[in-house]
Amino acid sequence: GDYLLMPETSIPQLVGESVHIIQGDSYYGEFTVAADGTLALPTVTVGDYQAGFNYVPECVNFTPRNSQFASGRKRRLAKMWVHVSNSGSYAVDGQRVPSYLIGEDTSAPPPRRTEGRMFKFLGRSQEQEHTISSPTPTPLTVLGWSGEVTI
């Protein structure tokens, strides 16, 4: 679960654990809780923080099959378009969309993305699957995906 962290409190129940720190829309990274239950946070704005364990939500798609024409043949998902809404950083099979794009203000919290983005893949397989995930504790709303399958 998440713990509310304020300047005068500590989290002794998590001593030695690695926790993720967020404040509002800002993600500060992963930190280890010291022996006295405190965290050595970088210089950040005053306010309440959340410290907790991160779980990585994953959405796994499978390449379409059951075509008589393609029965038993290896398929390749050459391209996949992923559509997200109001989401933070996300990744598709390790191809990460960064929190900040070139030219964005890095002193402000990372902007949320509502977009469609194309990802390309190599290789063929009978049962090809690709994973959409959020490697940081930020929102991820996948509206849908579409792909180009080659046989």
Side-chain angles (χ1 to χ4, degrees), residues 71-82:
S71 180
R73 296 178 66 186
K74 292 184 178 182
R75 289 169 289 287
R76 174 178 160 221
L77 184 60
K79 297 175 187 173
M80 184 166 82
W81 290 266
V82 176

Side-chain angles (χ1 to χ4, degrees), residues 24-98:
D25 286 341
S26 297
Y27 172 64
Y28 291 100
E30 189 172 2
F31 297 88
T32 302
V33 180
D36 62 355
T38 60
L39 293 164
L41 296 176
T43 305
V44 292
T45 58
V46 175
D48 293 337
Y49 300 87
Q50 284 187 339
F53 300 111
N54 182 33
Y55 92 159
V56 178
E58 292 183 343
C59 175
V60 180
N61 74 311
F62 298 94
T63 304
R65 61 179 180 164
N66 291 338
S67 165
Q68 284 183 328
F69 168 73
S71 180
R73 296 178 66 186
K74 292 184 178 182
R75 289 169 289 287
R76 174 178 160 221
L77 184 60
K79 297 175 187 173
M80 184 166 82
W81 290 266
V82 176
H83 306 275
V84 298
S85 176
N86 198 28
S87 297
S89 178
Y90 63 98
V92 177
D93 272 4
Q95 298 179 43
R96 187 169 174 186
V97 176

Side-chain angles (χ1 to χ4, degrees), residues 76-81 118-121 145-149:
R76 174 178 160 221
L77 184 60
K79 297 175 187 173
M80 184 166 82
W81 290 266
M118 181 182 68
F119 298 87
K120 294 181 180 182
F121 307 103
W145 70 273
S146 58
E148 177 183 299
V149 178

